Amino acid sequence: MDKIADQSVTVLGLGQMGSALARTLIDAGYPVTVWNRTSGRERDLVAAGAEAAASVTDAASASPVVVVCLLNHASVQETLGPVSEVLRSRIVINPTTTTPNQARDLSEWAGRHGIDYLDAAIMAVPAMIGSRGAQIFYSGSRQAYDANLTMLDHWATSEFRGNDAGLASLLDLAMLSGMYHLFAGFFHGAAMVGSASISATEFAARQAPFLAAMTDGLMDFAKIIDGGDYTVPGQQSLDFSDHSDIIDASDEQGVDSSSLVAIQQLLARQIAAGHGSEGYPRIYQSLRTRRA
Ligand SMILES: NC(=O)c1ccc[n+]([C@@H]2O[C@H](COP(=O)([O-])OP(=O)(O)OC[C@H]3O[C@@H](n4cnc5c(N)ncnc54)[C@H](OP(=O)(O)O)[C@@H]3O)[C@@H](O)[C@H]2O)c1
């Protein structure tokens, strides 16, 4: 594809994800400058048309938009800190996974140096970058988002979540929390049946459709939570949902039950507060108040 004039982009960090982001932009015709701490990872991208920068300073100077896709917050601070003056008046887009407060800190740091900061949270694996099935949340500078939306849309379906730079990563990490709890629940069930020589494969074949059917109920839970009335009739009550039998079965089979015990404690707090006859989603209220 022909080069798109005056829309050059720099990508700092050529790991799995940074390389996928850079590659998509090269394929879309953007002039792309790349840099990576360890040399060698730029080779395929240069062969595809990218310019390799010899230093972070050269890379940051090369484009009005600088994408920084590194391991974590500390590596972003370490890399961008020394080039803050070079980045002045440029846009920094940061798809590195950070906590919401780390994103806010970077946004505040960027503001002090005259840098337009857009945080990004990628809900995809590298192979999905460049497809509409991939989703990226953005937060921070609306101006930077609007000015670069055509470019951002090459990576994924884009969604701006708000001016608070921490919102994209908050949503990202909340989504991952749900996913990892689900995975951990599957691993626990697999360990339970594994103690009776039932394979994880056989268990997965039963568990996957069951979980898919159960997740259909999330929207009903959500409506109860948002409505704030946990007494709506027709719900499974907290008393009925007591997890003691599952915990006891797990213990009997010699399987660690601590993940389930943690959920039982959330449930027990609501029962102890007199809400046993109310719906299961009331566990949400235990989670909203962190224990001292
Ligand atoms: N991969 C995914 O599926 C995925 C999905 C969503 C979000 N993300 C996020 O995207 C970011 C990058 O992920 P990735 O998969 O590309 O990871 P990766 O393949 O492990 O690459 C990590 C990159 O960070 C660089 N790096 C690490 N420490 C550094 C430092 N102190 N200074 C400068 N550069 C440093 C590495 O450079 P060297 O080559 O020199 O080591 C490499 O370019 C992460 O925050 C990750 O959470 C990834």
Side-chain angles (χ1 to χ4, degrees), residues 102-217:
Q102 287 171 339
R104 291 175 186 125
D105 285 350
L106 270 171
S107 176
E108 197 263 332
W109 168 85
R112 276 190 278 118
H113 291 90
I115 302 162
D116 209 1
Y117 182 81
L118 184 63
D119 204 74
I122 303 175
M123 305 305 301
V125 294
M128 291 167 69
I129 297 300
S131 72
R132 301 308 292 165
Q135 188 167 31
I136 305 184
F137 301 129
Y138 295 92
S139 55
S141 168
R142 175 91 215 195
Q143 201 181 324
Y145 177 80
D146 287 342
N148 290 284
L149 187 53
T150 304
M151 182 197 90
L152 303 178
D153 278 346
H154 285 290
W155 286 334
T157 299
S158 314
E159 186 178 333
F160 186 76
R161 298 297 313 181
N163 296 325
D164 171 357
L167 288 177
S169 69
L170 177 64
L171 189 54
D172 174 22
L173 297 177
M175 298 268 281
L176 293 179
S177 171
M179 181 187 81
Y180 283 122
H181 275 82
L182 186 99
F183 288 169
F186 165 68
F187 298 147
H188 182 257
M192 284 178 74
V193 296
S195 69
S197 302
I198 297 171
S199 73
T201 306
E202 184 194 334
F203 184 63
R206 295 170 190 281
Q207 177 85 107
F210 181 72
L211 288 179
M214 290 300 105
T215 55
D216 281 349

Side-chain angles (χ1 to χ4, degrees), residues 14-17 36-38 41 70-71 75 78 97 122 124 126:
L14 304 175
Q16 301 277 324
M17 187 54 84
N36 193 62
R37 177 182 62 175
T38 308
R41 288 183 122 165
L70 304 178
L71 184 64
S75 52
E78 199 180 303
T97 303
I122 303 175

